[in-house]
Amino acid sequence: MGRVEGKVALVTGGSSGIGKGCAETLAREGATVVITDIQDDKGPAVVAGITAAGGKAEYLHHDVTSEDEWIAVVAEIDRRHGRLDILVNNAGIGVGSPSITTMTLADWRRQQAINVEGVFLGIKHGLLLMRKAGNGGSIINMSSVAGLKGSPTLAAYSATKGAVRLLTKAVALECAQVKDGVRVNSVHPGIIETPIWEGIMPSAPGSNTPPDLDAISTMAVPIGVKGLPADIANGVLWLASEESRYVTGAELVIDGGLSVR
Ligand code: NAP
């Protein structure tokens, strides 16, 4: 038996990076994984990889900022599977800015729309199906170490990830109060090797080349190395499984010690 055998999972932003890692790990442990993203060119390849390894996965186009698309995706999961057990609100972007005075309102709003409103809409519509199915569930919201500590170049991103942290706790308490069996937790990755770093901290202004994460990790991370998507996926797997049945409203920090320095 896999650790999430027979469960139905939705992973947003699952075409790339941490979301891809979560989808692969949950499928390996027996879940049927619905992967959604705006990167429609990459999502089907993730599904093909999972299927080739003997897992079950499907891909749907889904912009997490659109309430209409949330309604359609959740309705499609209800139609195909009649339940939703695991929701990983993972899709997110980061836009770094040397100063808050040069951060554009458009970049501020884009990060709020994807990182905060996308998580709000996911919780709202995912919870409706979890409650309708009546099997309880696990909602896992991807925050960041940037949601725990400030960073001079990441003010807007930090604001979104701090919002996700407390949104998680508030909804965890609502679910506990109504006894719907749904647990809600946040995950706080540190420096993880994915394409997101191209937007957060390009190696040079205007460049698409990500920074040297090995060099940054040697300096900043107590254990001295960067993390990989599988490191986060293993934590998500635990929160998704019954092994964490007594855990709700919690923050799972996976950062090689970055945030305790
Ligand atoms: P990633 O590789 O860029 O993956 C994020 C995925 O979400 C991409 O496929 C992205 O597409 C997609 N996406 C962007 N906007 C979307 C939207 N409106 N609707 C649906 N999908 C959308 O980045 P990642 O590092 O895996 O990030 C995953 C999560 O982890 C994010 O919430 C991020 O903030 C968080 N996180 C990452 C790190 C890290 O070090 N990597 C650290 C802390 C937290 P595009 O490429 O087209 O934008």
Side-chain angles (χ1 to χ4, degrees):
M1 281 286 280
R3 290 163 65 189
V4 286
E5 195 77 41
K7 293 183 187 287
V8 175
L10 166 57
V11 181
T12 69
S15 291
S16 173
I18 291 171
K20 175 172 178 277
C22 292
E24 290 168 346
T25 299
L26 291 168
R28 189 194 69 217
E29 293 295 329
T32 297
V33 184
V34 180
I35 296 163
T36 72
D37 206 297
I38 52 173
Q39 292 212 73
D40 298 334
D41 51 332
K42 294 190 179 157
V46 180
V47 169
I50 289 173
T51 309
K56 286 179 259 174
E58 302 157 8
Y59 178 76
L60 295 173
H61 171 82
H62 178 200
D63 179 341
V64 296
T65 66
S66 161
E67 185 154 26
D68 287 347
E69 291 190 24
W70 268 108
I71 291 167
V73 163
V74 171
E76 187 59 18
I77 293 171
D78 190 14
R79 192 185 67 77
R80 291 186 192 181
H81 305 290
R83 62 190 292 161
L84 178 65
D85 305 289
I86 300 160
L87 168 59
V88 186
N89 280 313
N90 165 77
I93 61 163
V95 183
S97 176
S99 164
I100 191 75
T101 60
T102 53
M103 165 66 59
T104 66
L105 185 55
D107 280 343
W108 171 275
R109 285 185 173 155
R110 202 157 62 91
Q111 290 174 91
Q112 289 286 333
I114 297 170
N115 298 1
V116 185
E117 291 171 22
V119 175
F120 153 64
L121 292 171
I123 292 170
K124 175 180 172 182
H125 293 286
L127 200 46
L128 285 169
L129 178 52
M130 286 178 176
R131 286 178 177 169
K132 181 180 161 201
N135 302 306
S138 175
I139 298 178
I140 299 151
N141 298 323
M142 205 56 72
S143 179
S144 171
V145 162
L148 303 173
K149 298 185 76 167
S151 164
T153 58
L154 289 176
Y157 180 73
S158 283
T160 67
K161 294 301 182 178
V164 168
R165 173 176 173 266
L166 281 182
L167 173 62
T168 298
K169 294 181 193 308
V171 181
L173 289 176
E174 177 192 317
C175 292
Q177 201 168 45
V178 302
K179 307 261 180 295
D180 60 8
V182 178
R183 297 179 296 107
V184 191
N185 295 288
S186 57
V187 172
H188 300 258
I191 297 173
I192 311 299
E193 185 173 42
T194 76
I196 203 172
W197 285 93
E198 293 160 21
I200 289 182
M201 199 186 283
S203 56
S207 154
N208 278 334
T209 314
D212 184 344
L213 294 186
D214 290 313
I216 293 173
S217 302
T218 303
M219 282 187 306
V221 179
I223 67 168
V225 290
K226 69 190 173 196
L228 300 174
D231 296 314
I232 307 305
N234 286 330
V236 166
L237 172 64
W238 178 69
L239 287 173
S241 78
E242 297 305 319
E243 295 156 26
S244 60
R245 67 174 195 95
Y246 203 57
V247 179
T248 196
E251 301 162 14
L252 179 55
V253 181
I254 307 175
D255 69 348
L258 179 64
S259 58
V260 296
R261 178 166 263 173

